[in-house]
Amino acid sequence: MAETQGLTARDILPEDSATALLVGRVWSNAAGGPCPVLLQGGRVLDLSSLAPTLSALLELPGLSDLARLAQGCADLGPLDDFLSGTAGQLLAPVDLQAVKAAGVTFADSMLERVVEEHAKGDAGRAQEIRARLAPALGDSLRGVEAGSAKAAEVKALLQGLGLWSQYLEVGIGPDAEIFTKAQPMSSVGCGADIGIHPKSEWNNPEPEMVLAITSDGHIVGATLGNDVNLRDFEGRSALLLSKAKDNNASCALGPFIRLFDAGYTLDDVKGAEIALRVEGEDGFALDGLSPMRAISRSPEELAGQLLNRNHQYPDGAVLFLGTMFAPTKDRRGPGLGFTHEIGDRVEISSPRLGRLVNWVRRTDECPEWTFGLGALMANLARRGVLRAD
């Protein structure tokens, strides 16, 4: 297993990790496979005796009492041993769950999606289009509640100006954009490489809050995510969304899911700020911040549009909530905006969720995804972890 390039537990854990209820997954060399785990006192406790998968663990009743339920579970060692690679590897904190994402949920990102659409994937045209559209769109969209009567008025106004867009339809219309970000088991964790398609010349990270949702629609916790995006692919055609979003190592999650308890609730998610920092080997640096209070739809509404009587996820789901941060800082030249370079260090953080840190590589140079659902089931059966109940 690969090392996580010098990261330590202190680098990635929440500021109040001593009292946080943090669950995730590791590949354990000692166990010979992936294990759902609880982080307690800086040590990794194997929860396989409670549930063979993380998705099954999140379905258990009384999750806020998990620390007590975990008494007697095997101690796999300190988290630092998994970050160094000596005991195994820290994995993305999901396994069987569907990995879904909501798009165009912040006013600033709505503007940038319209810019992409008009630029047809050409980064060189983006600045001119941005300058033309921003005065009209920016003021109109800010503070508008999606699906409201005011949103309908804004739609009519922008249609009259010839500025209405498919992205605005899902941004402030009644129906949210919900799409599949990645296949179950394909996400990478904190410390791993993230992938940019070698044909992409205009792309960016998307720092996001991610909800952990059970099969019956309950939101039980949250984590951080990077919805790596190819702006040139999607800008050429919205029908290329799957190619823009779902590629090898293009979805990062972690470091852990923080479960809700008396000290951390959905209200903390709603009031959180998600910070982004990109540091390049070329000396380039970029910072940004996404306050969750600026979102156009509530987390509950987005979760309800994902999972309901018309659409079920029997193994649960994680849902990216979108980002307001679409970087425009010039990198390769004036007016060309931001795009990733190989070797970029990407850090997504929030004080009570910790830090998700990854390094940018080409998708065809990142490790291939080979351990899927079939391999997981075979591994669990071989280890005697699966139970009939």
Side-chain angles (χ1 to χ4, degrees), residues 123-124 127 284 328-339 341:
Q127 185 56 41
F284 178 89
T328 59
K329 182 178 179 180
D330 289 341
R331 187 170 196 178
R332 293 181 176 176
L336 295 181
F338 172 84
T339 196
E341 300 290 358

Coordinates of all heavy atoms in Angstrom, one line a residue, residues 123-124 127 284 328-339 341:
A123 N -11.3 27.6 -22.3 CA -10.9 28.4 -21.2 C -10.5 29.8 -21.6 O -10.7 30.8 -20.8 CB -9.8 27.8 -20.4
G124 N -10.0 30.0 -22.8 CA -9.6 31.2 -23.3 C -10.7 32.2 -23.5 O -10.5 33.5 -23.5
Q127 N -13.1 34.5 -19.6 CA -13.0 35.8 -19.0 C -13.9 36.8 -19.6 O -14.6 37.6 -19.0 CB -11.6 36.3 -18.9 CG -11.4 37.6 -18.1 CD -11.9 37.5 -16.7 OE1 -11.7 36.5 -16.0 NE2 -12.6 38.5 -16.3
F284 N 2.7 28.1 -7.6 CA 1.3 28.7 -7.6 C 0.6 28.3 -6.3 O 0.7 27.2 -5.8 CB 0.6 28.1 -8.8 CG -0.9 28.6 -8.9 CD1 -1.2 29.8 -9.6 CD2 -1.9 27.8 -8.4 CE1 -2.5 30.2 -9.7 CE2 -3.2 28.3 -8.5 CZ -3.5 29.4 -9.2
T328 N -11.0 31.0 -10.6 CA -10.8 31.7 -11.8 C -9.4 32.4 -11.9 O -9.1 33.1 -12.8 CB -11.9 32.8 -12.0 OG1 -11.8 33.7 -10.9 CG2 -13.3 32.2 -12.1
K329 N -8.6 32.2 -10.8 CA -7.3 32.9 -10.8 C -6.4 32.4 -11.9 O -6.3 31.2 -12.1 CB -6.6 32.5 -9.4 CG -5.3 33.2 -9.2 CD -4.7 32.9 -7.9 CE -3.3 33.5 -7.7 NZ -2.8 33.2 -6.3
D330 N -5.9 33.3 -12.7 CA -5.1 32.9 -13.8 C -3.8 32.1 -13.4 O -3.1 32.5 -12.4 CB -4.6 34.2 -14.6 CG -5.7 34.9 -15.3 OD1 -6.8 34.2 -15.6 OD2 -5.6 36.1 -15.7
R331 N -3.5 31.1 -14.2 CA -2.4 30.3 -13.9 C -1.4 30.1 -15.1 O -0.2 30.4 -15.0 CB -2.8 28.9 -13.5 CG -1.6 28.0 -13.0 CD -2.1 26.8 -12.3 NE -1.0 26.2 -11.5 CZ -1.1 25.1 -10.8 NH1 -2.3 24.4 -10.7 NH2 -0.1 24.6 -10.1
R332 N -2.0 29.7 -16.2 CA -1.1 29.5 -17.4 C -0.9 30.8 -18.3 O -0.2 30.8 -19.2 CB -1.7 28.4 -18.3 CG -1.6 27.0 -17.6 CD -2.2 25.9 -18.5 NE -2.1 24.6 -17.8 CZ -2.5 23.5 -18.4 NH1 -3.2 23.5 -19.5 NH2 -2.4 22.3 -17.8
G333 N -1.6 31.8 -17.9 CA -1.5 33.1 -18.7 C -2.7 34.0 -18.4 O -3.7 33.5 -17.9
P334 N -2.6 35.3 -18.8 CA -3.7 36.2 -18.6 C -5.0 35.7 -19.3 O -5.0 35.4 -20.4 CB -3.2 37.5 -19.2 CG -1.7 37.4 -19.1 CD -1.4 35.9 -19.3
G335 N -6.1 35.8 -18.5 CA -7.4 35.4 -19.1 C -7.7 34.0 -19.2 O -8.7 33.6 -19.6
L336 N -6.7 33.1 -18.8 CA -6.9 31.6 -19.0 C -7.5 31.0 -17.7 O -7.8 29.8 -17.8 CB -5.6 31.0 -19.4 CG -5.0 31.4 -20.7 CD1 -3.7 30.6 -21.0 CD2 -6.0 31.1 -21.8
G337 N -7.5 31.7 -16.6 CA -8.1 31.2 -15.4 C -7.3 30.0 -14.8 O -6.1 29.9 -15.1
F338 N -8.0 29.3 -14.0 CA -7.3 28.2 -13.2 C -7.5 26.9 -13.9 O -8.5 26.5 -14.4 CB -7.9 28.1 -11.8 CG -7.3 26.9 -11.1 CD1 -6.1 27.0 -10.4 CD2 -8.0 25.7 -11.1 CE1 -5.6 25.9 -9.7 CE2 -7.5 24.6 -10.4 CZ -6.3 24.7 -9.7
T339 N -6.4 26.1 -13.9 CA -6.5 24.6 -14.2 C -5.4 23.9 -13.4 O -4.4 24.5 -13.0 CB -6.4 24.3 -15.7 OG1 -6.8 23.0 -15.9 CG2 -4.9 24.5 -16.1
E341 N -2.3 21.5 -12.4 CA -1.1 21.0 -13.0 C -0.7 19.7 -12.2 O -1.0 19.6 -11.0 CB 0.1 22.0 -12.9 CG -0.2 23.3 -13.6 CD -0.1 23.2 -15.1 OE1 0.1 22.1 -15.6 OE2 -0.4 24.2 -15.8

